[in-house]
Amino acid sequence: FSTGGLSICDNCVAGSYWSGSGGTSPLLCTACAAGSFSTEGTSTCNNCATGSYSSGGFSSSCINCAPGTFADISGTTQCKDCVPGTYSVSGLSVCVSCATGKYTSL
């Protein structure tokens, strides 16, 4: 006859992971590194896709690069500025050259 015990296991919070099994403490959950994210209860972190970033640990999602910036590699921690003569809209992995008769400047 059992008077106690646990009927469920708790998840590591979003932005952290643990790849082991049989965990006994939330302290086993490790923060995702900057440039990556995780959802609740996962065993790995995923790199942010191109066009997005995460700047700190414990990220549960990535942030799209703002207009005028880009991220051309996955897993980045910040977006880069477009150079004069180019532009981007939110979430792009490259800047696009201005069309004939148009320009951008600093």
Side-chain angles (χ1 to χ4, degrees), residues 48-53 62-73 76 79-80 82 87-96:
C48 293
T50 58
S52 66
Y53 72 99
C62 298
I63 301 165
N64 280 343
C65 292
T69 66
F70 71 103
D72 57 348
I73 58 171
T76 193
C79 299
K80 304 173 194 172
C82 293
Y87 72 97
S88 74
V89 294
S90 179
L92 288 185
S93 59
V94 295
C95 294
V96 179

Side-chain angles (χ1 to χ4, degrees), residues 97-103:
S97 292
C98 293
T100 302
K102 298 185 178 194
Y103 70 94

